[in-house]
Amino acid sequence: MVNLVEAQKPLLRGLMKLAGLKPHTVEIEQNTVMNFWVPSETLKENKKPNNKPIVVLIHGFAAEGIVTWQFQVGALTKKYRVYVPDLLFFGGSTTDSADRSPSFQADCLVTGFRKLGVEKCSIVGFSYGGMVAFKMAERYPDLVQAMVISGSVLAMTDSLGDDCLNRLGFSSSSDLLLPNSVKGLKALLSVAVHRKLWFPDRLHRDFLEVMFTNRKERAELLEGLVISNKDITIPNFTQIGFLFCFLTEDTPTLGRGRSNIQPRPCFEHEMLSESLRLQLGDKTTLQGIQKAGHLVHLERPCVFNKCLKEFLASLHAVAEDRKQQ
């Protein structure tokens, strides 16, 4: 029987190619390879100079790059060179290294970008990808000029992780983020979106079969995320700007549709974003988006894209001003 989710992928790949992106595998080190969707001119031997700014889209934990960012790529390619990587154990990216930390993901991404000729970029990071993006910004300030973060934090501390799981009624991150049943997938979707979704169970089963591969390694990635509260530090970020997208007060929050979970007050999302703004300084912009859940870039892509493009345009203006000074 045809897997309906897998059957959509050729169409999605075709849309990426129409937007000017092609898949390319980069050997990071021995036995470590990463898949990147890159502008087609990147792969040409005699490529012409291209002064468009570079934007990197880093996916979260549930799906690979082009699935996560399917509504953003086409909206950005007119003015930007867009790169969409697959993190290790997603898409075609693999490693035999035992390191599962966000720092290792960041190091591998940067090695890949260096090999692709990327010298400076802005990063859009979602959820798990946001934490990897923060590591890139911390460790490679010469590469990362600015960041857009959605549904993420600087780092997942043990207390923050336990608090989130307790509120949502799950015993571990793997139980929430690596469902192995239709019921578990429905529970994950119920806490990730604003609108109640209905799909036939067959579609849920197809999604489980296609999207939740490499379970052992991904569970180890989740374990590698958590650090002790006493080990958390705020790096001295030197980027020219940060944008945080968060849920606003009239947006139903995590826990929607699960009667055994107390909904998380929206002001906590605003407080978390405000805390990040205070930690990172005046270069940080907060952007509330109504009627959207964790998957805001998929639920309200037009609103998200508008915020994203306005922020990126403002960065370009700042960069031009610096050149003229």
Side-chain angles (χ1 to χ4, degrees), residues 5-173:
V5 176
E6 185 67 35
Q8 302 295 316
K9 286 193 173 183
L11 174 61
L12 194 54
R13 294 187 186 104
L15 291 174
M16 293 301 112
K17 291 178 180 179
L18 284 175
L21 272 64
K22 289 186 176 181
H24 184 65
T25 299
V26 178
E27 183 177 19
I28 307 302
E29 57 186 39
Q30 187 174 8
N31 298 323
T32 298
V33 297
M34 297 192 83
N35 180 65
F36 293 79
W37 283 82
V38 304
S40 56
E41 65 266 21
T42 300
L43 306 179
K44 294 179 180 178
E45 293 184 5
N46 299 315
K47 52 189 176 185
K48 298 179 181 178
N50 189 329
N51 294 322
K52 288 183 181 179
I54 293 176
V55 176
V56 173
L57 305 176
I58 305 181
H59 63 81
F61 206 79
E64 62 197 65
I66 61 172
V67 176
T68 301
W69 302 112
Q70 56 186 283
F71 297 123
Q72 280 67 55
V73 172
L76 293 173
T77 50
K78 183 177 180 180
K79 293 186 177 181
Y80 303 94
R81 285 176 285 166
V82 179
Y83 289 74
V84 186
D86 287 327
L87 295 171
L88 295 169
F89 305 115
F90 296 85
S93 301
T94 61
T95 183
D96 65 356
S97 170
D99 194 336
R100 299 290 185 261
S101 67
S103 296
F104 182 65
Q105 292 270 22
D107 291 344
C108 289
L109 279 178
V110 170
T111 298
F113 286 127
R114 301 287 195 209
K115 291 187 174 185
L116 290 167
V118 175
E119 297 179 352
K120 291 187 180 297
C121 65
S122 298
I123 297 179
V124 183
F126 164 65
S127 195
Y128 174 65
M131 285 179 267
V132 173
F134 274 122
K135 286 298 180 183
M136 290 179 65
E138 174 188 351
R139 296 159 77 90
Y140 304 96
D142 60 318
L143 174 71
V144 181
Q145 291 183 300
M147 295 173 58
V148 177
I149 301 297
S150 173
S152 188
V153 291
L154 272 169
M156 182 60 70
T157 62
D158 42 19
S159 63
L160 180 60
D162 290 343
D163 176 63
C164 289
L165 290 171
N166 289 336
R167 288 175 181 275
L168 296 174
F170 291 90
S171 60
S172 70
S173 297

Side-chain angles (χ1 to χ4, degrees), residues 61 100 128 156 172-178 215-227:
F61 206 79
R100 299 290 185 261
Y128 174 65
M156 182 60 70
S172 70
S173 297
S174 294
D175 288 341
L176 171 63
L177 295 172
L178 291 172
R215 288 179 176 271
K216 175 180 178 294
E217 292 83 2
R218 292 194 193 182
E220 292 167 352
L221 291 178
L222 291 173
E223 293 175 4
L225 272 180
V226 182
I227 64 173

Side-chain angles (χ1 to χ4, degrees), residues 167 253 262-270:
R167 288 175 181 275
T253 56
Q262 292 296 320
R264 185 172 186 171
C266 274
F267 71 82
E268 292 191 24
H269 292 275
E270 296 192 48

Side-chain angles (χ1 to χ4, degrees), residues 218-238:
R218 292 194 193 182
E220 292 167 352
L221 291 178
L222 291 173
E223 293 175 4
L225 272 180
V226 182
I227 64 173
S228 172
N229 284 70
K230 67 178 184 296
D231 294 332
I232 184 69
T233 59
I234 308 301
N236 182 26
F237 290 108
T238 61

